[in-house]
Amino acid sequence: MRIPHYLIRNASGCFVFRLRVPSRLQALLGRKVIKHALRTQCVRAAQQHALILAERYARAFEHFGWHRMPRGPSVEDILANVAEGGLSRYEIDLASGRVQASDAEDHRRAMEALALIGRIDHLRQPSAAPPASTVLPPAAVAPTAPAVAEPLTMKQAKIAWLRSIEASTTKKTLSIKTAAVEDLVRFIGEKRQLHALGRPDLAKWYQFLRDDGIATPTLTNKQSYIGGKHGFFSWAMASGHYPPGDNPAKGHVSYTANEKRKRKKFGFKAFTREEIALLFAPENFETLPLHTRWACLIGLYTGARVSEVGQLRVLDVIELEGVPCLSFSDEGEHQSLKSESSRRVVPIHPRLLKLGLLDYVKTQVRRNARDLFPNGKEDAVNGRGSWITKAMGNYLAKIGSSWPKAKRGFHSFRKSVIQELQGAGVASEMRAQLVGHELDDEHHAVYSREFTPREKLTGVRSAQFSSPGLSALAFDINVDAVIRPVNT
């Protein structure tokens, strides 16, 4: 973990804040270095405290350079006030917006100290212009925080947001989002007003995480939870706790071209046709439990996510326009989806019908089963599909032990399906509706229509648009013998 240059450890192991005074101000302030004992051995706590001190002193140095104040005890007092973040020597009249002091000189110095620690933004401007000696430079006056319907502190906002998403979020995702917003609140401060935050505050938080060694993928996830479409600040705007408009937590973190290449290289790898043939070879495939076999086959012929397969109910096997389909939704109890575009109806591939998927469903109906796969636990930390992930991992460790090293898992079926559909000439709009992707082009989202189940299965042929459908998937597997006995 990197420690900022302004932190050092003393003999007891506690951190000390150490800052070099700019050379142009050393004679003015009568010192070359400023030190403060932070009285903590925790790196994160020391970093947070040091960042606040560094910012305050930067503003103080800028202000001293502006006014060229003479050396003397008052300089020491103001520096102390900067470090303490308080103004115990002075009385602040919030009604008039003035600082009460014994004479004009003390008044001027009090106002300067007030500006240095950023308290001037909490005062209202007096009705009459103050004496010339008390007028602050424009840079020292912070803009007034915009009004909101219901102001909240960061602590209150964190609790309210987590409560609002608790019912519709899996246990694992909720814990990740909780960690992200708690990191933000810890850095900003529990008592800070949410609506007073701006882009600079969030930029400092992201930089703090970078300095703490957080990698870009993790930063991107945190940005998604805090500044994403359904994140913390979007909720705050919709709820009237933050001014509508620019999302201050958005757009700070992105992948570099090199990071994108690495991410693509080390992400899940699609199965080759040879690997699929080995995975579904009868002598190998029959070693898996029946529920796991059907889960793998559904993944191979739909490209669905493991969580979507694991939470399928018997009622999600439907027929539309004479076409048997699987409905991926979040309408049932303990069901959830990654995004709005994940809600979709996918026709059942003819190969799955031939293998007897509908017979398997009827067997579950006779057993009065609610779920297509009863193995899935509703309170599983990693979601209803975690049992499939584990089973697939164990299976790959046995079957693919000699394969070239790569990241493989159930998600590899999804990549295989997408790439096969692309190779078969299936249009991007059709692929997106089949696998639950959201197209980046806003034109498609606004003007494109939903394809019918028949079109999704067999394709579309017209003068304006032409594309094959899901039936273009043609994997060479032969597992009839290990699927047909539905009562095993």
Side-chain angles (χ1 to χ4, degrees), residues 369-381:
R370 180 194 66 176
D371 300 319
L372 204 58
F373 301 111
N375 306 50
K377 296 180 179 179
E378 296 173 351
D379 59 348
V381 174

Side-chain angles (χ1 to χ4, degrees), residues 158-174:
K158 176 194 73 173
I159 295 172
W161 178 58
L162 292 177
R163 187 183 298 129
S164 72
I165 64 174
E166 185 175 6
S168 59
T169 308
T170 63
K171 186 180 294 186
K172 180 181 179 181
T173 303
L174 183 63

Side-chain angles (χ1 to χ4, degrees), residues 320-325 347 451-460 469:
L320 293 176
E321 301 175 2
V323 179
C325 301
F451 294 112
T452 68
R454 179 67 61 184
E455 289 172 332
K456 290 179 181 178
L457 179 62
T458 61
V460 179

Side-chain angles (χ1 to χ4, degrees), residues 45-359:
Q47 286 177 326
Q48 291 177 342
H49 195 173
L51 282 171
I52 295 171
L53 287 174
E55 180 185 3
R56 286 176 178 168
Y57 276 113
R59 294 160 67 184
F61 292 156
E62 180 183 358
H63 202 68
F64 285 141
W66 188 316
H67 285 291
R68 311 298 296 173
M69 290 173 60
R71 290 175 57 184
S74 58
V75 175
E76 300 295 324
D77 292 343
I78 291 177
L79 281 176
N81 276 320
V82 173
E84 295 170 6
L87 284 173
S88 56
R89 287 189 57 203
Y90 309 104
E91 295 180 0
I92 305 172
D93 185 351
L94 294 179
S96 65
R98 297 181 183 276
V99 177
Q100 306 301 320
S102 58
D103 54 33
E105 180 63 14
D106 284 346
H107 186 276
R108 181 177 70 83
R109 295 191 184 281
M111 289 298 289
E112 286 169 340
L114 190 65
L116 294 181
I117 62 171
R119 297 293 179 84
I120 194 67
D121 55 332
H122 296 295
L123 303 181
R124 295 197 298 271
Q125 293 298 317
S127 55
S133 60
T134 65
V135 175
L136 292 171
V141 182
T144 304
V148 292
E150 183 184 1
L152 292 180
T153 64
M154 290 297 294
K155 181 178 180 180
Q156 292 170 331
K158 176 194 73 173
I159 295 172
W161 178 58
L162 292 177
R163 187 183 298 129
S164 72
I165 64 174
E166 185 175 6
S168 59
T169 308
T170 63
K171 186 180 294 186
K172 180 181 179 181
T173 303
L174 183 63
S175 66
I176 295 173
K177 291 184 176 182
T178 300
V181 73
E182 285 182 346
D183 273 351
L184 175 64
V185 173
R186 192 180 300 113
F187 178 81
I188 297 296
E190 290 186 341
K191 297 181 180 179
R192 182 87 178 269
Q193 292 289 320
L194 170 65
H195 69 280
L197 297 186
R199 280 193 163 274
D201 297 294
L202 275 300
K204 291 171 187 173
W205 179 56
Y206 288 122
Q207 187 58 50
F208 171 74
L209 295 176
R210 289 189 188 95
D211 292 341
D212 204 27
I214 304 298
T216 300
T218 305
L219 280 175
T220 303
N221 289 338
K222 287 183 181 292
Q223 180 175 249
S224 173
Y225 302 141
I226 301 300
K229 186 176 180 181
H230 302 289
F232 175 67
F233 275 95
S234 292
W235 163 84
M237 291 180 189
S239 304
H241 307 307
Y242 193 87
D246 180 49
N247 187 327
K250 188 177 181 180
H252 294 271
V253 183
S254 60
Y255 288 99
T256 64
N258 187 41
E259 287 173 330
K260 287 180 180 179
R261 285 193 295 269
K262 288 183 178 179
R263 183 174 173 82
K264 187 174 182 180
K265 179 180 179 181
F266 296 110
F268 276 98
K269 186 179 184 297
F271 291 125
T272 65
R273 282 183 165 269
E274 292 74 17
E275 290 168 350
I276 289 175
L278 280 173
L279 289 173
F280 291 92
E283 63 274 16
N284 296 327
F285 199 54
E286 66 183 356
T287 62
L288 291 173
L290 183 62
H291 297 313
T292 308
R293 290 180 239 164
W294 276 118
C296 290
L297 283 167
I298 290 174
L300 180 67
Y301 284 104
T302 64
R305 301 174 179 90
V306 66
S307 58
E308 296 171 342
V309 175
Q311 69 182 11
L312 281 171
R313 303 169 301 169
V314 171
L315 292 177
D316 293 326
V317 183
I318 60 177
E319 183 173 310
L320 293 176
E321 301 175 2
V323 179
C325 301
L326 293 174
S327 173
F328 296 103
S329 73
D330 55 359
E331 296 175 358
E333 188 178 7
H334 303 294
Q335 284 186 322
S336 62
L337 294 174
K338 183 177 181 180
S339 62
E340 182 64 29
S341 57
S342 301
R343 183 178 290 103
R344 65 198 187 279
V345 171
V346 180
I348 299 177
H349 194 280
R351 191 78 176 92
L352 291 178
L353 295 176
K354 184 178 179 181
L355 289 171
L357 177 58
L358 296 185
D359 292 333

